[in-house]
Amino acid sequence: MGILEKISEIEKEIARTQKNKATEYHLGLLKAKLAKYRTQLMEPTGKSGPKGEGFDVMKSGDARCALIGFPSVGKSTLLNVVTETHSESASYEFTTLTCIPGVIEHNGAKIQLLDLPGIIEGASQGKGRGRQVIAVARTADLVIIMNSGWIKHFLRFNRIQ
C-alpha cells in the first residue's frame, strides 16, 4: 500500500468517525498519521516510491503545458474545467500531491495540461517537493503561472456568453 492509499484510508476513517469526547484521542492519532504521511509525500527520501506516485508523466500530444502557482489558486479547477480529467480540489492546501495530466484538443492539436502541486517559498531548495515540480515545469513547452484572481474573471466571462 502506497502513501497515497494510506492517506486516502485515513481520510475515510476520519470522515466516518463520530466527533465526540470519547473519540478525540483516536481522531488526534489519525490526524497525526495523516500529517506524517503528507510530510513523507512532500519530502521523499532517496528511495523511489511505488509506481503511479511520481512526477514522471509520459509526454503526449503536440505540446505540453504546466500549471504552476501557489497552493489553492485554482490549478486543479482549471484542469477540471478545460479537460475531461478529474483532479481533486478542496478547501485545504496541497490537495494535489502528484502531477495530474489532462488533454485539451484545440483545432486538431492535442495539448497535454499538467496540474502540479503548489509551490511554496524555498521550492528551489526542495521544500514542498519543489525540485520535482520545477523539474517537470522545465520539460513543458509552456508554463502557465497562476494566481487566485482568474476564477472571478472566468465566472464573469461565462455568465456573459
Side-chain angles (χ1 to χ4, degrees), residues 16-33:
R16 49 173 192 255
T17 302
Q18 274 188 330
K19 291 165 184 66
N20 57 47
K21 190 146 182 113
T23 61
E24 275 181 4
Y25 183 75
H26 176 66
L27 287 171
L29 290 176
L30 290 174
K31 288 178 181 178
K33 281 184 186 178

Side-chain angles (χ1 to χ4, degrees), residues 4-117:
L4 289 177
E5 289 87 10
K6 289 178 183 177
I7 288 173
S8 176
E9 288 298 316
I10 291 172
E11 286 175 342
K12 288 176 187 174
E13 175 71 20
I14 289 173
R16 49 173 192 255
T17 302
Q18 274 188 330
K19 291 165 184 66
N20 57 47
K21 190 146 182 113
T23 61
E24 275 181 4
Y25 183 75
H26 176 66
L27 287 171
L29 290 176
L30 290 174
K31 288 178 181 178
K33 281 184 186 178
L34 187 61
K36 182 182 97 177
Y37 287 136
R38 283 192 175 147
T39 301
Q40 286 178 357
L41 197 58
M42 295 308 288
E43 296 174 6
T45 60
K47 299 180 261 177
S48 62
K51 291 194 185 278
E53 290 188 16
F55 279 78
D56 296 333
V57 175
M58 189 163 71
K59 195 170 188 174
S60 68
D62 300 316
R64 186 178 220 186
C65 178
L67 299 175
I68 295 279
F70 292 116
S72 300
V73 294
K75 298 180 297 291
S76 297
T77 304
L78 180 64
L79 184 77
N80 290 338
V81 169
V82 298
T83 68
E84 294 178 9
T85 307
H86 176 71
S87 180
E88 185 179 343
S89 56
S91 61
Y92 54 88
E93 293 183 347
F94 298 111
T95 308
T96 304
L97 298 173
T98 61
C99 180
I100 311 284
V103 176
I104 304 170
E105 275 200 50
H106 181 69
N107 293 337
K110 290 187 178 182
I111 303 167
Q112 185 180 39
L113 191 61
L114 302 176
D115 179 17
L116 297 171

